[in-house]
Amino acid sequence: MSYNIGSLNIRKSLRTEDQNRDFHTFMHGFIRDAKLDIVAFQEIGRKDAMESVLNSLSAKWTGWKGSHSYGSEFAFIWNSNRVSECSKSHTPQIYQNYRSDYRMMRDPYYGRFAPNDLELNTEFRLVNVHLVHGGSDSLAAIGERKLECGLSKGVIHQTLDVHRYGNFKRSFTIVLGDYNLDCETCNQIGLDRVKTVQTEKTTVKNKEDDYSRNYDHFSYDAVKNESVECEAYRFDAVSTYFKGSFEAYRYNVSDHVPIVFKIGKSD
């Protein structure tokens, strides 16, 4: 049995009625076609935008109540028939309790999801990040991105991955989201065993029908989880739902396309 986790920088939350219609059609298709169990969002911005997404989906999808903290740009939604948020509060939380003199510009959003299949003694610990950009590609701005990447893949991943919650479940911890760095650079940062994956370009150029940057990724301990079959890929939403029009996708959805992390074998 496989579990599929999606991630998308949504860019904006305020849409016209026509944009919302196309956006919700896209979300329906993306969740269905990628067979998603959990979706992580960055730049969600508004809680009512998350509510709008969930209202357009079937009742088995949950997440917005309590899963969008004031002032945060992060959110999770999940298929409650497949997984449950298994923290004490049963909702993800902003994670600030990491030991570092350097503080991230946006503290990550942390959720713990256990498969409802009781035979699987595992929980997926998801660390939703949007690393600082800095407004330019100057050495100083890139240096800040690398610091946050190292912190996310290092002390944050390590602390959450080894923490014991008393349920004796095996942890599979994944940092995911918009890194504002390419995959090769991310893999030069931090422990070699915490591997960053998803190498295809995911940002959309402003005035051209093409992709620009490879910024959206997943990172996990590839040594600890070497026996687990995993796959990460870009989901081609532009071709699938917008007939190849980058302009239409950018206008109705985002300047990022979604990515997917598949854990385990398909049925």
Side-chain angles (χ1 to χ4, degrees):
M1 179 179 292
S2 66
Y3 288 84
N4 299 316
I5 301 164
S7 177
L8 173 63
N9 181 325
I10 210 168
R11 188 185 62 167
K12 58 182 180 179
S13 301
L14 189 62
R15 291 180 169 81
T16 66
E17 184 176 341
D18 286 343
Q19 285 175 308
N20 260 332
R21 188 180 303 112
D22 285 345
F23 176 73
H24 291 152
T25 299
F26 149 74
M27 283 302 306
H28 270 281
F30 173 45
I31 287 171
R32 178 194 64 232
D33 297 338
K35 299 179 180 178
L36 298 179
D37 300 297
I38 306 166
V39 188
F41 295 98
Q42 303 89 45
E43 288 197 44
I44 192 71
R46 298 160 54 97
K47 189 172 182 177
D48 58 349
M50 194 76 271
E51 183 178 358
S52 175
V53 169
L54 283 168
N55 285 342
S56 73
L57 301 173
S58 68
K60 67 186 179 183
W61 282 87
T62 188
W64 75 269
K65 287 187 177 180
S67 74
H68 182 277
S69 299
Y70 180 77
S72 162
E73 63 158 61
F74 300 109
F76 288 111
I77 61 173
W78 58 93
N79 181 342
S80 61
N81 288 353
R82 292 270 291 164
V83 298
S84 300
E85 215 289 342
C86 59
S87 64
K88 282 186 178 181
S89 63
H90 301 293
T91 187
Q93 301 288 331
I94 297 295
Y95 182 69
Q96 297 175 310
N97 192 28
Y98 51 93
R99 294 184 178 181
S100 172
D101 292 333
Y102 180 88
R103 308 306 295 180
M104 296 182 70
M105 180 178 176
R106 308 173 186 93
D107 287 321
Y109 198 46
Y110 177 46
R112 296 169 53 208
F113 299 93
N116 293 340
D117 184 344
L118 297 179
E119 294 183 4
L120 295 175
N121 190 37
T122 299
E123 66 176 55
F124 306 124
R125 299 178 180 176
L126 305 185
V127 185
N128 192 353
V129 301
H130 183 187
L131 304 189
V132 63
H133 183 274
S136 72
D137 286 332
S138 67
L139 289 177
I142 293 172
E144 283 190 90
R145 296 178 215 172
K146 289 180 176 180
L147 276 173
E148 291 204 356
C149 182
L151 189 55
S152 301
K153 293 179 61 179
V155 65
I156 293 176
H157 180 281
Q158 184 177 29
T159 301
L160 295 175
D161 193 46
V162 301
H163 188 82
R164 294 182 179 273
Y165 290 100
N167 60 9
F168 303 105
K169 289 183 179 291
R170 180 185 184 278
S171 62
F172 193 126
T173 303
I174 306 166
V175 179
L176 73 167
D178 180 356
Y179 287 53
N180 278 314
L181 289 169
D182 63 57
C183 196
E184 182 180 359
T185 300
C186 292
N187 277 316
Q188 296 170 357
I189 298 169
L191 298 174
D192 290 341
R193 63 185 294 151
V194 181
K195 182 180 180 183
T196 300
V197 294
Q198 203 309 106
T199 60
E200 295 181 279
K201 291 181 178 179
T202 51
T203 63
V204 175
K205 289 184 177 180
N206 284 331
K207 296 181 180 180
E208 298 178 47
D209 283 349
D210 200 359
Y211 292 105
S212 176
R213 307 275 188 165
N214 163 25
Y215 275 174
D216 299 274
H217 313 295
F218 304 93
S219 300
Y220 69 104
D221 190 329
V223 175
K224 174 186 175 181
N225 300 294
E226 63 180 347
S227 63
V228 182
E229 186 172 309
C230 301
E231 177 188 5
Y233 62 93
R234 177 185 71 196
F235 188 87
D236 190 1
V238 178
S239 295
T240 305
Y241 308 117
F242 292 89
K243 299 180 180 179
S245 173
F246 284 79
E247 181 181 4
Y249 178 85
R250 188 169 51 243
Y251 178 71
N252 291 290
V253 181
S254 179
D255 57 351
H256 289 245
V257 294
I259 55 174
V260 177
F261 191 74
K262 178 180 176 182
I263 304 171
K265 296 180 180 180
S266 301
D267 298 337

